[in-house]
Amino acid sequence: MEGGGAVNAIESNRPRRSKPLKDVTNPRRFIFEALQKGGVIPHGGHKEDSCLLHSGELHNMEMCLEVEELLQRMIDQGRLEVGSEG
């Protein structure tokens, strides 16, 4: 699977500086699928869909504004931490 980074759902609400989603190098699809696998985001769409949030739509996960807003909100709230391994 692409990405090579780490995705963690965070349970605590400790204060932290938010990382802008635009600075995250992991593909949004990789992050979204990891959150689905962890039960943080409900499963939706089909694997072959371009956007797992909007089944049947032509846009992809990288261009979806709702996916961007959801992931950035989770980062801002301290519920999602995305970083590089190594």
Side-chain angles (χ1 to χ4, degrees), residues 9-86:
I10 308 295
E11 293 297 325
S12 69
N13 287 329
R14 57 190 150 128
R16 67 180 71 242
R17 272 180 68 186
S18 295
K19 181 176 190 171
L21 187 62
K22 66 179 178 67
D23 293 341
V24 174
T25 57
N26 300 69
R28 292 178 188 173
R29 186 177 191 96
F30 173 80
I31 297 169
F32 199 86
E33 286 177 337
L35 292 169
Q36 284 182 323
K37 186 175 181 179
V40 177
I41 295 175
H43 286 272
H46 304 283
K47 277 287 207 191
E48 62 275 359
D49 284 335
S50 296
C51 181
L52 296 176
L53 192 60
H54 301 108
S55 183
E57 292 292 325
L58 298 178
H59 65 263
N60 64 31
M61 301 289 288
E62 302 305 312
M63 302 304 293
C64 181
L65 294 177
E66 287 185 58
V67 169
E68 178 180 353
E69 290 170 0
L70 172 66
L71 297 178
Q72 186 63 59
R73 186 170 51 252
M74 290 180 74
I75 291 169
D76 293 345
Q77 293 171 347
R79 296 175 49 215
L80 174 65
E81 186 177 273
V82 183
S84 301
E85 288 184 13

